[in-house]
Amino acid sequence: AAASFASTSPTSNGKKKGVDIYEADEQGVSPTDSRYSRLNCPLLLFAITAAISSINYGWVIGSINIPALVIEECADGPVAWTNGFPSCIPMSSTLWGLVVGLTPLGAWAGSMFSGIAADKFGRKHMLMYNNAFFVSGAIIASTSTSVAQLSVGRFVSGIGCGVAANVVSTYCSEVSTIRSRGFLGGFQQLMILVGVFLSQVVSIGLSKAPLWRVLFSISAAIAIIQTLLLFFIPESPKYLASTNQIDKAEAVLVRLRKDMDTALELDDLLTVLEYSCQTDYVPQPTMWQVLAGKTEIDLRHLVFSVLFLMLSQQWAGGKGVMFYSTEILSDSFHLSDEEIKHIPTIAQLLTLGIGAVGLFSVILGMCILDK
């Protein structure tokens, strides 16, 4: 069905689909074949708009780091109430760890349903709906008067982080081409670290009481701005094709691949979807069968390689640095309460440096990945 569609439907330039009318280059690739097109301005802008959710993800992670001592230990002075809100929320280090840990717990919860929801509502609309979690979490956290309220706010924001991590990567991979896949594949991680770094920069000026509440509320502003911008980007062509909106999928590909012939790319997309529908009726192996190597093709090497990389990332303590580096460095330098009040402290400046190094490393990796 996909092949017959590709051979009879006209493209936007009036040529017949499925017929390569262009001369190929030395590698056998047509210079106008959209499958091998490079990153262009529309594609980059659409990816950036979708990845604002990842910036918000990074903001939620990073905004809790620098003002930690001001919130949990009242380092800026004793508790003072202003307009019904306390200047700090004193708690033990153990309880603070629980509050911070509720964010990744919420992210886990969000990741569990985000895939199914994105298949039902679409990638673009799911990003819109997900911003409700960011806005709600930011409002709850920024107006918190107790440990319980702050915990709920962090958990709700965490749900938004989990959904964003899944849907943004899916959208970027589905709008990318072969030549831009490496760059856009790392786009989500880049934007997360951009969010972390920006939140740490802003935290330097907003880590005093009660300005840390403004720091938490900025996440809501980011979500609202992105929701408005999402109206101007297209839905994923793969999602449109999978829901039998072939004409819309073709129009989106033409929009994404400026001045390129999208006939063969659409044909490939439909062929993959057709094959996927056929294999839906084939019994899928269980997790135990995969881990035991009892599948038609032994997948254990691939599975364990991915698991090792993901677990190594966690065991390396990267997430702990994002959450607790200011506290750890303050203790390491034996900063007194009086020294902590003089912002920026050496611990805060080193936290900024760590964020900058992470950002540089991701940019470097993205630049060389497609080489």
Side-chain angles (χ1 to χ4, degrees):
S4 62
F5 176 85
S7 62
T8 58
S9 299
T11 62
S12 58
N13 56 20
K15 306 298 182 182
K16 295 292 183 180
K17 285 182 178 263
V19 180
D20 191 0
I21 62 171
Y22 302 103
E23 294 183 359
D25 60 14
E26 294 180 357
Q27 288 75 37
V29 177
S30 169
T32 56
D33 188 344
S34 65
R35 296 174 299 177
Y36 302 97
S37 62
R38 298 186 181 277
L39 189 67
N40 56 46
C41 255
L43 178 55
L44 181 60
L45 289 175
F46 298 151
I48 290 175
T49 301
I52 293 176
S53 287
S54 296
I55 294 177
N56 216 346
Y57 180 172
W59 189 278
V60 171
I61 292 177
S63 60
I64 200 75
N65 190 335
I66 289 180
L69 296 175
V70 174
I71 300 173
E72 66 162 317
E73 297 184 6
C74 299
D76 205 28
V79 181
W81 289 77
T82 306
N83 298 323
F85 297 107
S87 58
C88 57
I89 305 175
M91 65 188 85
S92 65
S93 296
T94 302
L95 199 54
W96 177 253
L98 177 63
V99 171
V100 174
L102 283 171
T103 300
L105 182 62
W108 172 81
S111 65
M112 295 300 290
F113 70 83
S114 59
I116 297 174
D119 287 339
K120 181 177 181 180
F121 300 110
R123 289 54 164 137
K124 171 182 171 178
H125 288 94
M126 193 59 211
L127 288 174
M128 289 182 172
Y129 302 150
N130 182 51
N131 280 330
F133 290 112
F134 282 124
V135 173
S136 300
I139 292 175
I140 295 171
S142 62
T143 60
S144 56
T145 58
S146 64
V147 175
Q149 184 178 348
L150 181 59
S151 300
V152 172
R154 295 293 297 177
F155 180 80
V156 173
S157 293
I159 295 176
C161 294
V163 175
N166 194 344
V167 180
V168 171
S169 60
T170 301
Y171 182 86
C172 288
S173 67
E174 291 180 352
V175 299
S176 66
T177 62
I178 293 174
R179 287 182 175 176
S180 63
R181 193 163 296 156
F183 180 84
L184 292 182
F187 207 62
Q188 174 182 284
Q189 186 63 27
L190 171 64
M191 291 304 172
I192 290 174
L193 288 177
V194 166
V196 170
F197 183 69
L198 288 177
S199 69
Q200 291 172 346
V201 171
V202 176
S203 294
I204 296 296
L206 297 178
S207 58
K208 286 183 172 291
L211 295 180
W212 56 267
R213 297 182 181 276
V214 177
L215 184 65
F216 289 168
S217 67
I218 292 176
S219 175
I222 296 173
I224 293 171
I225 292 172
Q226 187 200 23
T227 302
L228 297 176
L229 293 175
L230 284 171
F231 284 102
F232 300 98
I233 75 169
E235 180 55 87
S236 157
K238 183 176 181 180
Y239 169 77
L240 292 172
S242 67
T243 54
N244 206 29
Q245 302 180 68
I246 308 300
D247 291 339
K248 290 184 179 180
E250 180 184 8
V252 168
L253 281 175
V254 171
R255 187 179 175 188
L256 289 170
R257 317 287 187 247
K258 189 176 181 182
D259 301 325
M260 303 293 286
D261 178 24
T262 60
L264 296 177
E265 184 174 4
L266 181 61
D267 188 39
D268 286 352
L269 177 59
L270 295 175
T271 301
V272 169
L273 290 173
E274 183 181 10
Y275 177 78
S276 178
C277 291
Q278 293 173 352
T279 56
D280 284 344
Y281 302 101
V282 179
Q284 299 298 315
T286 64
M287 179 59 71
W288 168 249
Q289 289 175 324
V290 173
L291 295 178
K294 298 179 179 179
T295 54
E296 184 177 352
I297 300 175
D298 193 346
L299 301 173
R300 287 179 295 179
H301 175 72
L302 294 175
V303 172
F304 288 126
S305 294
V306 173
L307 287 176
F308 177 77
L309 288 173
M310 298 303 293
L311 289 173
S312 297
Q313 185 183 36
Q314 302 304 315
W315 289 335
K319 292 295 185 293
V321 171
M322 288 184 180
F323 286 127
Y324 303 110
S325 62
T326 302
E327 284 192 82
I328 294 172
L329 292 170
S330 294
D331 290 340
S332 299
F333 286 103
H334 306 290
L335 298 182
S336 65
D337 292 341
E338 193 62 33
E339 289 174 319
I340 292 174
K341 291 180 181 180
H342 290 81
I343 297 174
T345 65
I346 182 64
Q348 293 170 340
L349 293 176
L350 287 175
T351 294
L352 284 180
I354 292 170
V357 169
L359 189 59
F360 171 77
S361 300
V362 172
I363 293 174
L364 179 64
M366 290 173 65
C367 291
I368 66 176
L369 191 58
D370 287 326
K371 300 297 183 182

